[in-house]
Amino acid sequence: MKTMSDATKVHIRQAENADLQRICLLSEEINRHHHQHVPEIFVAQTDHVREEAFWLALLQGAQSTIFVAECDHAVLGFASVSWSENTAVPFLNVKRICRIGTIVVTEAKRKQGIGENLMNAAIQWGQQQDAHEVRLEVLNFNRDAMRFYARMGFQVMSTILQRAS
């Protein structure tokens, strides 16, 4: 699957093992942003070995993939996506759900349509996997992301509450 944004000449494609280093760098970029806002959840510095293994597992998984946004051989962003079916909880409908795990565009290239192209690729992948819906989670501090997801047609489905024990 390949799409192209005329404005930025960005290609969206499925990631390859060779993209792993850039995926890790982009992950660190978004992690720093999250750590600034919720340091009790996100680490200050990632363990590079564990991080690479995490992204590699998604890249090579039977029920997951990663899409990258590329321009002039440079990876500017990525979106991880997977699918699952609830078969364990007897009172929930069994249906295939596509989950967008992480989406990030390097800060210098945001608001140019790249995130929208990545989301569209992830949604299309979910449709190809026969998913009935697409879900994602966003932390409350991330208002820009919430507005972006709303523009993409996402609606609030639930709220997760927490308190210190």
Side-chain angles (χ1 to χ4, degrees), residues 8 25 41 49 52 67 72 74 82-83 86-87 94 97-98 156:
T8 57
L25 290 172
I41 297 174
V49 173
E52 188 171 305
F67 289 95
D72 296 327
S82 62
W83 66 264
N86 169 54
T87 56
V94 175
I97 297 169
C98 175
V156 174

Side-chain angles (χ1 to χ4, degrees), residues 86 88-94:
N86 169 54
V89 183
F91 50 83
L92 294 180
N93 290 320
V94 175

Side-chain angles (χ1 to χ4, degrees), residues 103 105 109 112-120 148 152:
I103 179 169
V105 174
K109 297 295 183 177
Q112 297 179 27
I114 298 169
E116 185 175 335
N117 289 345
L118 284 165
M119 287 292 286
N120 287 333
F148 169 71
M152 295 294 302

Side-chain angles (χ1 to χ4, degrees), residues 47-83:
D47 175 327
H48 296 291
V49 173
R50 287 182 62 212
E51 184 173 16
E52 188 171 305
F54 174 80
W55 295 119
L56 186 61
L58 285 173
L59 184 61
Q60 296 178 344
Q63 294 177 205
S64 60
T65 195
I66 299 174
F67 289 95
V68 294
E70 181 181 58
C71 182
D72 296 327
H73 305 292
V75 174
L76 307 175
F78 77 89
S80 65
V81 61
S82 62
W83 66 264

